[in-house]
Structures are given as C-alpha cells and as structure tokens.
C-alpha cells in the first residue's frame, strides 16, 4: 500500500526557477526520505529528515517536515535541466521495518 | 566503495518461464531489499533479507521468492512468469535496517512476452 503521496504529480518549470514538491503520509513515522530517479534507472537518495527535525538543507535542496500535518515538502532552488527526474518520498511505517514509497512526481526543467 | 550491482540489466522471457535476478550490495551492507516498479503500481516492496533471513515481505504471490547468501549477495526468483510481471526490478542495500537510507542498483528490466 502507498504511504506517501506526492503532489503535484507532474511539474514543468524553466531553468533557474524553484521547484516545490509536497508529500503527505498517513501513519506515524521515524523518518522521511526523498529520492530521485532518472528515467528507467535506480533511485538515488537525496535527503533524510527525522521525525524530530523540522527542516534540513543539502546544497540546493531544502526539506521541511510537519508531523502534525503529516506532510513534507522538497524545495529545489535554482533548478537545472539535470534536475529533470522523478522524485519520490519514502516513509518508514512506524514499526513496519520497511520503507514505503509514494508513486512519485515527475519534474521537467526546461533549458 | 563500489555501488549496488544488479545482473542482468535486461531480460526477455515468455509466459510460464522462470527467472532469477541477482544483486550484490555495497560492501558492509547486510540488508538487501527488492522492489518491483511498474507505471501503474509504482514502487512496490517485495521483500527484505538480513543475514540470510527474510525479515520482511510485501504482498506478492508465492511465485516471487528470494534468498541471501553469507556474503550478503541476494537473488530473487520469479516462477511461472505472467505478462503482468513485466517491470523494473530494483534492489537496494542498507547497512542494517531497511528503514535506513537505501542505496539502489540500476535495476533489471524484465519483459515477459
């Protein structure tokens, strides 16, 4: 079953603009992770935020987590064509000992 | 460190056949998870192995099975292939827990004709 749901499902922007993706989940979590997947390839881990953290930065990425709303957002600043990919949020169903991925969001950055 | 490797990268089979996919995790990683990815269902968890034991299992029929060897390498097997088994099969490894950061291989693209 899907835990995280990314929103929007697709986003098209121009190079240099910021891209924001949202993820909502249903159960209590220990952490939430974001991954990127280039077309038809393996996923690459971007960032992990723990349930006791509210915000985390990594380069051009900024992730926020609101456990009261069961939601997270991923902000990519100054986007590049190379950021074109699908982005997934993943949560650990509390106690389930596995990661559950959302269906993903396709980001297209036009040069 | 070498990343997660999966073999083969591409596979074409016919209905009714069986297939075995292989995954070598990052050195030192003991947890190996398998996922099936399709356009319709997204990324679905198949199972996870740790120290040669299946620690967790998703909602897939018994035709899907796996194992892990003492060197942490893992294989998954699908018997009596169906058209709907066509998918990208991804393997991921993590140090100890499946909930930790996962490092994915490039995947095996299986096409069932």
């Amino acid at each position: 079953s899907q835990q995280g749901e990314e929103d929007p499902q697709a986003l098209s922007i121009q190079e240099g603009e910021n891209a924001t993706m949202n993820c909502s989940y249903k159960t209590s979590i220990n952490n939430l992770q974001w991954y990127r997947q280039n077309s038809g390839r393996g996923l690459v881990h971007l960032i992990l935020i723990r349930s006791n953290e509210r915000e985390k930065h990594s380069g051009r990425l900024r992730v926020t987590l609101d456990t009261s709303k069961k939601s997270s957002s991923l902000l990519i600043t100054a986007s590049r064509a190379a950021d074109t990919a699908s982005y997934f949020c993943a949560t650990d169903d509390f106690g389930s000992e596995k990661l559950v991925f959302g269906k993903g969001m396709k980001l297209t950055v036009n040069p | 460190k070498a990343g997660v490797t999966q073999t083969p990268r591409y596979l074409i089979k016919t209905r009714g056949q069986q297939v075995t996919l292989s995954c070598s995790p990052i050195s030192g990683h003991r947890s190996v998870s398998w996922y099936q990815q399709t356009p319709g269902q997204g990324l679905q968890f198949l199972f996870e192995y740790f120290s040669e034991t299946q620690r967790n299992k998703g909602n897939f029929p018994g035709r899907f099975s796996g194992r892990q060897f003492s060197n942490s390498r893992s294989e998954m097997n699908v018997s009596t292939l169906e058209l709907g088994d066509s998918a990208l099969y991804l393997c991921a490894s993590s140090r100890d827990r499946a909930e930790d950061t996962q490092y994915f291989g490039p995947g095996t693209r299986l096409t069932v004709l």
Side-chain angles (χ1 to χ4, degrees):
Chain A
S1 62
Q2 302 295 346
Q3 159 80 308
E5 293 283 340
E6 294 88 352
D7 170 61
Q9 291 192 335
L11 181 64
S12 181
I13 59 175
Q14 295 299 124
E15 217 169 20
E17 293 181 338
N18 295 342
T20 300
M21 290 159 267
N22 302 300
C23 170
S24 58
Y25 57 93
K26 296 172 184 163
T27 66
S28 296
I29 61 171
N30 289 313
N31 67 60
L32 184 144
Q33 303 180 42
W34 285 91
Y35 288 80
R36 181 188 76 223
Q37 183 180 35
N38 291 91
S39 183
R41 303 174 75 173
L43 280 71
V44 174
H45 179 257
L46 294 176
I47 198 163
L48 179 154
I49 186 166
R50 302 199 183 280
S51 60
N52 62 353
E53 297 175 308
R54 290 296 167 258
E55 187 171 312
K56 203 161 181 181
H57 296 253
S58 176
R60 293 184 297 113
L61 306 179
R62 173 179 163 247
V63 169
T64 61
L65 179 64
D66 187 335
T67 52
S68 66
K69 295 181 179 177
K70 291 188 168 55
S71 68
S72 172
S73 67
L74 170 67
L75 168 67
I76 303 175
T77 60
S79 63
R80 304 166 182 168
D83 294 327
T84 295
S86 291
Y87 291 81
F88 296 82
C89 66
T91 55
D92 59 335
D93 254 358
F94 194 77
S96 74
E97 299 180 325
K98 65 181 180 183
L99 278 185
V100 181
F101 287 81
K103 289 206 167 187
M105 194 220 77
K106 185 166 174 56
L107 172 67
T108 303
V109 181
N110 301 298
Chain B
K1 269 186 183 176
V4 177
T5 58
Q6 291 186 246
T7 56
R9 293 292 311 278
Y10 302 91
L11 210 45
I12 299 175
K13 293 285 188 179
T14 56
R15 276 180 299 175
Q17 288 187 310
Q18 75 164 17
V19 67
T20 299
L21 311 181
S22 181
C23 171
S24 292
I26 290 173
S27 177
H29 285 191
R30 295 187 294 171
S31 169
V32 175
S33 298
W34 288 89
Y35 297 86
Q36 180 196 64
Q37 187 178 30
T38 59
Q41 296 300 316
L43 208 61
Q44 303 271 317
F45 173 79
L46 280 157
F47 28 64
E48 185 236 350
Y49 286 87
F50 181 87
S51 292
E52 302 179 64
T53 301
Q54 187 181 85
R55 193 161 60 173
N56 215 333
K57 190 177 189 305
N59 294 325
F60 279 82
R63 300 185 297 106
F64 292 81
S65 63
R67 59 178 175 168
Q68 187 180 35
F69 302 94
S70 58
N71 61 359
S72 292
R73 190 177 71 84
S74 177
E75 289 181 348
M76 68 161 281
N77 183 277
V78 188
S79 62
T80 318
L81 284 166
E82 300 176 359
L83 294 179
D85 297 333
S86 294
L88 181 66
Y89 289 88
L90 292 163
C91 163
S93 74
S94 58
R95 191 167 297 280
D96 290 307
R97 303 186 320 148
E99 314 95 283
D100 293 338
T101 297
Q102 299 219 333
Y103 296 85
F104 282 80
T108 294
R109 172 74 63 186
L110 172 64
T111 302
V112 182
L113 303 175

